[in-house]
Amino acid sequence: MDKIYIVGHKNPDTDSVCSAIALARFKELTGAENCVAVTAGKINKETEFVLNYYGVQVPEVLESVEAKQKLILVDHNEYGQAVGGADQAQLVQVVDHHKVGGFQTAEPLYVRIEPVGSTCSIVAQYYKEKGLVPEKAIAGILLAAILSDTVIFKSPTCTELDKVIAAELAAIAGVDPKTFGIDMFKAGSNIAERTPQSMIEEDFKAFTMGSHKVGVGQVSLMGMDGFEDVRANLNKELENYRNSQGLRYICLMVTDILSDYTELIVKGDNPEEVAKAFGKELVNGSVELPGVLSRKKQVVPPMTTYFSA
Amino acid sequence: MDKIYIVGHKNPDTDSVCSAIALARFKELTGAENCVAVTAGKINKETEFVLNYYGVQVPEVLESVEAKQKLILVDHNEYGQAVGGADQAQLVQVVDHHKVGGFQTAEPLYVRIEPVGSTCSIVAQYYKEKGLVPEKAIAGILLAAILSDTVIFKSPTCTELDKVIAAELAAIAGVDPKTFGIDMFKAGSNIAERTPQSMIEEDFKAFTMGSHKVGVGQVSLMGMDGFEDVRANLNKELENYRNSQGLRYICLMVTDILSDYTELIVKGDNPEEVAKAFGKELVNGSVELPGVLSRKKQVVPPMTTYFSA
């Protein structure tokens, strides 16, 4: 039987990786044994902590696929964010929680997109709808992804459904969501262990805003201890990254989860234009955004509106 | 509370209309009372028979919507097939069984697309997943739409799921699917009562094939009695329709459900090119296609392949 790869977006995050693994297991439980979870790049420290905690094997990295490969996309629906060659593959399913970005298919397929906080909340519903209870490890990684994408339920993208499902999963996984979430974010945010490049690439996406190509990354930290030590190198690396990607602006959300605060570092020829998008002044090359946690809901929309005007 | 219109495609068929009505009722049963089923045009004779049989009110016709109107699209996902103004509306949900045609949204929304025979098979699953049993009339119109789109389970688009769901619905609706299906198709195909224009427009869609714009309609008949009487007028009207729509080719599938046979009438400058797409000769301006029932699976793919080569 033809293999079907289940794969999240490039620069994989915990939701991308865990939704692929949990969906592959669901497929196996419901009789489809040819589905294999893979990743579109190396997993990050946070995801490594989660898989290690529950003794789940790290999926194989697959950075490109051949034409006609059967593919299930999780946590994204735009070919631009997908594994190389995805636009020539045969999509059989899409499971996602982002806006629809104009993908096309040659044949009807399964698509399920819901405006919830995490793709894993949708995968957990597949289990519920079939009357299946995920094993402890699968429940644990599904919960981890919900905690990751909703920043322990604090992000404005978090819905009631995410909370209900997370509570059910936590009971199976045998952890307290808040404690587990903080441990997970700490594992992912150890500044001393990280290179500036890894902080930029951890969760980086490029957007078209008006006529500009703008990159926005996000690094989530548990407190700002040690951050000032890396700032100079991070600034230099952001300039390099901007040039290599040909971006009008590059922005990095440095989000402190403990204090619900984001510092948006901005590089580009007129960085004060980005500050204006938030009705703010630029302070030492950054925009201060108290209460901001979500790129999707709180950072990209005002910038897109400003640069499209 | 803002009204949300639930609407199928232009030239509405039974699946479009019944999935909108049954989804609106499901929304009401699950606490959302602001969803209203409408149609993107006048309903056809077949749908009229179905709604009348179960005493269900005909939805209001709404041929265009204002900008920012909240919309749920059923049985289609391409703005080109949708009610006027849909591309400026705020999509909140899409429920469909067609290929994905590249639609985009500004925000995440609910999308559920499955490769099954009828949108109503997906709507019936919403009821099942919530443990709800549709009322007799709703079960009846859901069944009717499945019978219509799958040509009483004979179309290659029909899946096992469609058959299972149809059997469950038939038990609630108190009808024999085959008898009811034949009565329904008869009501929709009374040739003597119909104008050539209504036969062309009954189920008409335009496609881009290679560099050509090609229209393909389908009229489903229960036997060919009386068809020769309308052929001359139908030929004339097809030429008119082709010119008014600026089409390279216009094709009409005249499908006799009783004998599993389609005659494809072709108009255009080189109609024999269309015959070649099926590896056939043109006979009196038509291509004879025994065993062909599905435009989506059996007619559009070979034509698209031929004209894209």
Side-chain angles (χ1 to χ4, degrees), chain B residues 151-218:
Chain B
V151 194
I152 316 178
F153 314 128
K154 288 195 288 189
S155 168
T157 61
C158 185
T159 67
E160 273 311 305
L161 184 76
D162 295 300
K163 292 180 194 169
V164 168
I165 286 176
E168 293 168 1
L169 293 168
I172 303 166
V175 290
D176 171 69
K178 192 160 179 202
T179 313
F180 180 63
I182 289 174
D183 288 347
M184 176 186 78
F185 278 111
K186 272 189 184 156
S189 76
N190 191 333
I191 298 173
E193 274 184 14
R194 303 178 61 186
T195 64
Q197 197 190 342
S198 79
M199 293 172 78
I200 296 166
E201 291 183 344
E202 170 175 307
D203 182 7
F204 187 85
K205 282 184 183 160
F207 301 87
T208 302
M209 298 181 177
S211 57
H212 302 343
K213 197 176 158 201
V214 178
V216 186
Q218 181 170 26

Coordinates of all heavy atoms in Angstrom, one line a residue, chain B residues 151-218:
Chain B
V151 N -27.2 9.6 -8.1 CA -28.0 8.9 -9.1 C -28.5 7.5 -8.5 O -28.2 6.5 -9.1 CB -27.4 8.8 -10.4 CG1 -28.4 8.4 -11.5 CG2 -26.7 10.1 -10.8
I152 N -29.1 7.6 -7.4 CA -29.6 6.4 -6.7 C -28.4 5.4 -6.5 O -28.6 4.2 -6.9 CB -30.8 5.7 -7.3 CG1 -31.9 6.8 -7.7 CG2 -31.5 4.7 -6.4 CD1 -33.1 6.3 -8.4
F153 N -27.3 5.8 -6.0 CA -26.1 5.0 -5.7 C -25.4 4.5 -6.9 O -24.4 3.7 -6.8 CB -26.5 3.8 -4.8 CG -27.4 4.2 -3.6 CD1 -28.5 3.5 -3.3 CD2 -27.0 5.3 -2.8 CE1 -29.3 3.9 -2.2 CE2 -27.8 5.6 -1.7 CZ -29.0 4.9 -1.4
K154 N -25.8 4.9 -8.1 CA -25.1 4.4 -9.3 C -23.9 5.2 -9.8 O -23.1 4.7 -10.6 CB -26.1 4.3 -10.5 CG -27.1 3.2 -10.2 CD -27.9 2.8 -11.5 CE -28.9 3.9 -11.9 NZ -29.8 3.5 -13.0
S155 N -23.8 6.4 -9.3 CA -22.7 7.2 -9.8 C -21.3 6.8 -9.2 O -21.3 6.3 -8.0 CB -22.9 8.7 -9.4 OG -21.7 9.4 -9.6
P156 N -20.2 6.9 -9.9 CA -18.9 6.5 -9.4 C -18.5 7.4 -8.2 O -17.5 7.1 -7.5 CB -17.9 6.6 -10.5 CG -18.6 7.5 -11.5 CD -20.1 7.2 -11.3
T157 N -19.2 8.5 -8.0 CA -18.9 9.4 -6.8 C -19.5 8.9 -5.5 O -19.1 9.3 -4.5 CB -19.4 10.8 -7.0 OG1 -20.9 10.7 -7.1 CG2 -18.9 11.5 -8.3
C158 N -20.3 7.8 -5.6 CA -21.0 7.3 -4.5 C -20.0 6.5 -3.6 O -19.3 5.7 -4.1 CB -22.2 6.4 -4.9 SG -23.2 5.9 -3.5
T159 N -20.0 6.7 -2.3 CA -19.1 5.9 -1.4 C -20.0 5.1 -0.5 O -21.2 5.2 -0.4 CB -18.3 6.9 -0.5 OG1 -19.2 7.6 0.3 CG2 -17.5 7.9 -1.4
E160 N -19.3 4.2 0.2 CA -19.9 3.3 1.2 C -20.6 4.2 2.3 O -21.7 3.8 2.7 CB -18.9 2.4 1.9 CG -18.7 1.1 1.2 CD -20.0 0.4 0.8 OE1 -20.8 0.1 1.6 OE2 -20.1 0.1 -0.4
L161 N -20.0 5.3 2.7 CA -20.6 6.1 3.7 C -21.9 6.7 3.2 O -22.9 6.7 4.0 CB -19.6 7.3 4.0 CG -20.1 8.2 5.1 CD1 -19.9 7.5 6.5 CD2 -19.4 9.5 5.1
D162 N -22.0 7.1 2.0 CA -23.3 7.6 1.4 C -24.4 6.5 1.6 O -25.5 6.9 2.0 CB -23.1 8.0 -0.1 CG -22.2 9.1 -0.3 OD1 -22.4 10.2 0.3 OD2 -21.2 9.0 -1.0
K163 N -24.0 5.3 1.3 CA -25.0 4.2 1.3 C -25.5 3.9 2.7 O -26.7 3.8 3.0 CB -24.4 2.9 0.7 CG -24.2 3.0 -0.8 CD -23.6 1.7 -1.3 CE -23.1 1.9 -2.8 NZ -22.3 0.8 -3.2
V164 N -24.5 3.9 3.7 CA -24.8 3.6 5.1 C -25.7 4.7 5.6 O -26.8 4.5 6.3 CB -23.5 3.5 5.9 CG1 -23.8 3.6 7.4 CG2 -22.7 2.3 5.5
I165 N -25.3 6.0 5.4 CA -26.1 7.1 5.9 C -27.5 7.1 5.2 O -28.5 7.4 5.9 CB -25.4 8.4 5.7 CG1 -24.2 8.5 6.7 CG2 -26.3 9.6 5.8 CD1 -23.3 9.7 6.5
A166 N -27.6 6.9 3.9 CA -28.9 6.9 3.2 C -29.8 5.8 3.8 O -31.0 6.1 4.0 CB -28.7 6.6 1.7
A167 N -29.3 4.6 4.2 CA -30.1 3.6 4.8 C -30.7 4.0 6.1 O -31.9 3.8 6.4 CB -29.3 2.3 4.9
E168 N -29.8 4.7 6.9 CA -30.3 5.2 8.2 C -31.4 6.3 8.1 O -32.4 6.3 8.8 CB -29.1 5.8 9.0 CG -28.1 4.7 9.4 CD -26.8 5.3 10.0 OE1 -26.7 6.6 10.0 OE2 -25.9 4.6 10.3
L169 N -31.2 7.2 7.1 CA -32.1 8.2 6.8 C -33.4 7.7 6.3 O -34.5 8.2 6.7 CB -31.5 9.3 5.9 CG -30.3 10.1 6.4 CD1 -29.7 10.8 5.2 CD2 -30.7 11.0 7.5
A170 N -33.4 6.7 5.4 CA -34.6 6.1 4.8 C -35.5 5.5 5.9 O -36.7 5.6 5.8 CB -34.2 5.1 3.8
A171 N -34.8 4.9 6.9 CA -35.6 4.3 8.0 C -36.4 5.4 8.8 O -37.6 5.2 9.1 CB -34.7 3.5 9.0
I172 N -35.7 6.5 9.0 CA -36.4 7.6 9.7 C -37.5 8.3 8.8 O -38.6 8.6 9.2 CB -35.4 8.7 10.1 CG1 -34.3 8.1 11.0 CG2 -36.1 9.9 10.8 CD1 -33.1 9.1 11.1
A173 N -37.1 8.4 7.5 CA -38.0 9.1 6.5 C -39.2 8.3 6.1 O -40.1 8.8 5.5 CB -37.2 9.6 5.4
G174 N -39.1 6.9 6.3 CA -40.2 6.1 5.9 C -40.4 5.9 4.5 O -41.6 5.8 4.0
V175 N -39.3 5.9 3.7 CA -39.5 5.6 2.2 C -38.5 4.6 1.8 O -37.5 4.3 2.5 CB -39.3 6.9 1.4 CG1 -40.4 7.9 1.6 CG2 -37.9 7.5 1.7
D176 N -38.8 3.9 0.7 CA -37.8 3.0 0.0 C -37.0 3.9 -0.9 O -37.5 4.6 -1.7 CB -38.6 1.9 -0.8 CG -37.6 1.1 -1.6 OD1 -36.8 0.4 -1.0 OD2 -37.6 1.3 -2.8
P177 N -35.6 3.9 -0.7 CA -34.8 4.8 -1.4 C -34.9 4.7 -2.9 O -35.0 5.7 -3.6 CB -33.4 4.4 -1.0 CG -33.5 3.7 0.3 CD -34.9 3.1 0.3
K178 N -35.0 3.4 -3.4 CA -35.1 3.3 -4.9 C -36.4 3.9 -5.5 O -36.4 4.6 -6.4 CB -34.9 1.8 -5.3 CG -34.6 1.7 -6.8 CD -34.0 0.4 -7.2 CE -33.9 0.4 -8.7 NZ -33.7 -0.9 -9.3
T179 N -37.5 3.5 -4.9 CA -38.8 4.0 -5.3 C -38.9 5.5 -5.2 O -39.3 6.2 -6.2 CB -39.9 3.4 -4.5 OG1 -39.7 2.0 -4.3 CG2 -41.3 3.6 -5.1
F180 N -38.5 6.0 -4.1 CA -38.5 7.4 -3.9 C -37.6 8.2 -4.9 O -37.9 9.2 -5.4 CB -38.1 7.7 -2.4 CG -38.1 9.2 -2.1 CD1 -39.3 9.9 -2.1 CD2 -36.9 9.9 -1.7 CE1 -39.3 11.3 -1.8 CE2 -36.9 11.2 -1.4 CZ -38.1 11.9 -1.5
G181 N -36.4 7.6 -5.1 CA -35.4 8.2 -6.0 C -36.0 8.3 -7.4 O -35.8 9.3 -8.1
I182 N -36.6 7.2 -7.9 CA -37.2 7.2 -9.2 C -38.3 8.2 -9.4 O -38.4 9.0 -10.3 CB -37.6 5.8 -9.6 CG1 -36.4 4.9 -9.8 CG2 -38.5 5.8 -10.9 CD1 -36.7 3.4 -10.1
D183 N -39.2 8.3 -8.3 CA -40.2 9.3 -8.4 C -39.7 10.7 -8.4 O -40.2 11.6 -9.1 CB -41.1 9.2 -7.1 CG -42.0 7.9 -7.1 OD1 -42.1 7.3 -8.2 OD2 -42.6 7.6 -6.1
M184 N -38.6 10.9 -7.7 CA -38.0 12.2 -7.6 C -37.3 12.6 -9.0 O -37.6 13.7 -9.5 CB -36.9 12.2 -6.5 CG -36.0 13.4 -6.4 SD -34.7 13.2 -5.2 CE -33.5 12.3 -6.3
F185 N -36.6 11.7 -9.6 CA -36.0 12.0 -10.9 C -37.1 12.2 -11.9 O -36.9 13.0 -12.8 CB -35.0 10.8 -11.3 CG -33.7 11.0 -10.7 CD1 -33.2 10.1 -9.7 CD2 -32.8 12.0 -11.0 CE1 -32.0 10.2 -9.1 CE2 -31.6 12.2 -10.4 CZ -31.1 11.2 -9.5
K186 N -38.2 11.4 -11.9 CA -39.3 11.6 -12.8 C -39.9 13.0 -12.7 O -40.1 13.6 -13.7 CB -40.4 10.5 -12.6 CG -40.2 9.2 -13.3 CD -41.4 8.3 -13.2 CE -41.1 7.0 -13.8 NZ -42.0 5.9 -13.3
A187 N -40.1 13.4 -11.5 CA -40.6 14.7 -11.3 C -39.7 15.8 -11.8 O -40.2 16.8 -12.3 CB -40.9 15.0 -9.8
G188 N -38.4 15.5 -11.8 CA -37.5 16.6 -12.3 C -37.3 16.5 -13.8 O -36.7 17.4 -14.4
S189 N -37.7 15.4 -14.4 CA -37.3 15.2 -15.8 C -38.4 15.2 -16.8 O -38.2 14.7 -17.9 CB -36.4 13.9 -15.9 OG -37.3 12.8 -15.9
N190 N -39.5 15.7 -16.4 CA -40.7 15.7 -17.4 C -40.4 16.6 -18.6 O -40.6 17.8 -18.5 CB -41.9 16.1 -16.6 CG -43.2 15.9 -17.5 OD1 -43.1 15.8 -18.7 ND2 -44.3 15.7 -16.8
I191 N -40.0 16.0 -19.7 CA -39.5 16.7 -20.8 C -40.6 17.6 -21.4 O -40.3 18.8 -21.7 CB -39.0 15.8 -21.9 CG1 -37.8 15.0 -21.4 CG2 -38.6 16.6 -23.2 CD1 -37.3 13.9 -22.4
A192 N -41.8 17.1 -21.5 CA -42.9 17.9 -22.1 C -43.1 19.2 -21.4 O -43.4 20.2 -22.0 CB -44.2 17.1 -22.1
E193 N -42.8 19.3 -20.1 CA -43.1 20.5 -19.3 C -42.0 21.5 -19.3 O -42.1 22.6 -18.8 CB -43.3 20.1 -17.8 CG -44.7 19.7 -17.5 CD -44.8 19.4 -16.0 OE1 -43.9 19.8 -15.2 OE2 -45.9 18.8 -15.6
R194 N -40.8 21.1 -20.0 CA -39.6 21.9 -19.8 C -39.2 22.7 -21.0 O -39.3 22.3 -22.1 CB -38.5 21.1 -19.3 CG -39.0 20.3 -18.0 CD -37.9 19.4 -17.5 NE -36.7 20.2 -17.2 CZ -35.6 19.7 -16.9 NH1 -35.5 18.3 -16.8 NH2 -34.5 20.4 -16.6
T195 N -38.6 23.9 -20.8 CA -38.0 24.6 -21.9 C -36.6 24.2 -22.1 O -35.9 23.7 -21.2 CB -38.0 26.1 -21.6 OG1 -37.1 26.3 -20.5 CG2 -39.4 26.7 -21.2
P196 N -36.1 24.3 -23.4 CA -34.7 24.0 -23.6 C -33.7 24.8 -22.6 O -32.8 24.2 -22.1 CB -34.4 24.5 -25.1 CG -35.8 24.4 -25.7 CD -36.8 24.7 -24.6
Q197 N -34.1 26.0 -22.4 CA -33.2 26.8 -21.5 C -33.1 26.2 -20.1 O -32.1 26.1 -19.5 CB -33.7 28.3 -21.4 CG -32.7 29.3 -20.9 CD -33.4 30.6 -20.6 OE1 -34.4 30.9 -21.1 NE2 -32.7 31.4 -19.7
S198 N -34.3 25.8 -19.6 CA -34.3 25.2 -18.2 C -33.5 23.9 -18.2 O -32.9 23.6 -17.2 CB -35.7 24.9 -17.7 OG -36.2 23.7 -18.3
M199 N -33.5 23.1 -19.3 CA -32.7 21.9 -19.4 C -31.2 22.2 -19.4 O -30.4 21.5 -18.7 CB -33.1 21.1 -20.6 CG -34.5 20.6 -20.5 SD -35.1 19.8 -22.1 CE -34.3 18.2 -22.0
I200 N -30.8 23.3 -20.1 CA -29.4 23.6 -20.1 C -28.9 24.2 -18.7 O -27.9 23.8 -18.2 CB -29.1 24.7 -21.2 CG1 -29.4 24.1 -22.6 CG2 -27.7 25.2 -21.1 CD1 -29.5 25.2 -23.7
E201 N -29.8 25.0 -18.1 CA -29.4 25.7 -16.9 C -29.6 24.8 -15.6 O -29.1 25.2 -14.6 CB -30.1 27.0 -16.8 CG -29.7 28.0 -17.8 CD -30.4 29.4 -17.6 OE1 -31.4 29.4 -16.9 OE2 -29.9 30.3 -18.2
E202 N -30.3 23.7 -15.8 CA -30.6 22.9 -14.6 C -29.4 22.6 -13.8 O -29.4 22.7 -12.5 CB -31.2 21.6 -15.1 CG -31.4 20.6 -13.9 CD -32.1 19.3 -14.4 OE1 -33.2 19.4 -15.0 OE2 -31.6 18.2 -14.2
D203 N -28.3 22.3 -14.4 CA -27.1 22.0 -13.6 C -25.9 22.3 -14.6 O -25.3 21.4 -15.2 CB -27.1 20.5 -13.2 CG -25.8 20.1 -12.4 OD1 -25.1 21.0 -12.0 OD2 -25.7 18.9 -12.1
F204 N -25.6 23.6 -14.7 CA -24.6 24.0 -15.6 C -23.4 24.6 -14.9 O -23.5 25.4 -13.9 CB -25.2 25.1 -16.5 CG -24.3 25.5 -17.6 CD1 -24.3 24.8 -18.8 CD2 -23.5 26.6 -17.5 CE1 -23.4 25.2 -19.9 CE2 -22.6 27.0 -18.5 CZ -22.6 26.2 -19.7
K205 N -22.2 24.2 -15.3 CA -21.0 24.8 -14.7 C -20.0 25.2 -15.8 O -19.8 24.4 -16.8 CB -20.3 23.9 -13.7 CG -21.0 23.9 -12.4 CD -20.3 23.0 -11.4 CE -21.1 22.9 -10.1 NZ -20.7 21.8 -9.2
A206 N -19.2 26.3 -15.6 CA -18.2 26.6 -16.6 C -16.8 26.2 -16.0 O -16.6 26.4 -14.8 CB -18.2 28.1 -16.8
F207 N -15.9 25.7 -16.8 CA -14.6 25.3 -16.4 C -13.5 25.9 -17.3 O -13.8 26.2 -18.4 CB -14.5 23.7 -16.5 CG -15.5 23.0 -15.7 CD1 -16.8 22.7 -16.2 CD2 -15.2 22.6 -14.4 CE1 -17.7 22.0 -15.5 CE2 -16.2 21.9 -13.7 CZ -17.4 21.6 -14.2
T208 N -12.3 26.1 -16.7 CA -11.2 26.5 -17.5 C -10.4 25.2 -17.8 O -10.0 24.5 -16.9 CB -10.3 27.5 -16.8 OG1 -11.1 28.6 -16.5 CG2 -9.1 27.9 -17.7
M209 N -10.3 24.9 -19.1 CA -9.5 23.7 -19.5 C -8.4 24.1 -20.5 O -8.7 24.5 -21.6 CB -10.5 22.7 -20.2 CG -11.6 22.2 -19.3 SD -12.7 21.1 -20.2 CE -13.9 20.7 -18.9
G210 N -7.2 24.0 -20.0 CA -6.1 24.5 -20.8 C -6.4 26.0 -21.0 O -6.6 26.7 -20.0
S211 N -6.3 26.5 -22.2 CA -6.6 27.9 -22.4 C -8.1 28.2 -22.8 O -8.5 29.3 -23.1 CB -5.7 28.5 -23.5 OG -5.9 27.7 -24.7
H212 N -8.9 27.1 -22.7 CA -10.3 27.3 -23.1 C -11.3 27.4 -22.0 O -11.1 26.8 -20.9 CB -10.8 26.0 -23.9 CG -10.0 25.7 -25.1 ND1 -9.2 26.6 -25.7 CD2 -9.9 24.5 -25.8 CE1 -8.6 26.0 -26.8 NE2 -9.0 24.8 -26.8
K213 N -12.3 28.2 -22.2 CA -13.4 28.3 -21.3 C -14.5 27.3 -21.8 O -15.0 27.5 -23.0 CB -13.9 29.7 -21.1 CG -14.8 29.9 -19.9 CD -15.2 31.4 -19.7 CE -16.4 31.5 -18.8 NZ -17.1 32.8 -19.0
V214 N -14.9 26.3 -21.1 CA -15.8 25.3 -21.6 C -16.9 25.2 -20.6 O -16.7 25.1 -19.3 CB -15.1 24.0 -21.7 CG1 -16.0 22.9 -22.2 CG2 -13.9 24.1 -22.7
G215 N -18.2 25.1 -21.1 CA -19.3 24.9 -20.2 C -19.8 23.5 -20.4 O -19.9 23.0 -21.5
V216 N -20.2 22.9 -19.2 CA -20.7 21.5 -19.3 C -22.0 21.5 -18.4 O -21.9 21.7 -17.2 CB -19.7 20.5 -18.8 CG1 -20.3 19.1 -19.0 CG2 -18.4 20.6 -19.5
G217 N -23.1 21.2 -19.0 CA -24.4 21.1 -18.3 C -24.8 19.6 -18.2 O -24.2 18.8 -19.0
Q218 N -25.7 19.3 -17.3 CA -26.2 17.9 -17.3 C -27.7 18.0 -17.0 O -28.2 18.6 -16.1 CB -25.5 17.1 -16.2 CG -26.0 15.7 -16.1 CD -25.2 14.8 -15.2 OE1 -24.5 15.2 -14.3 NE2 -25.2 13.5 -15.5

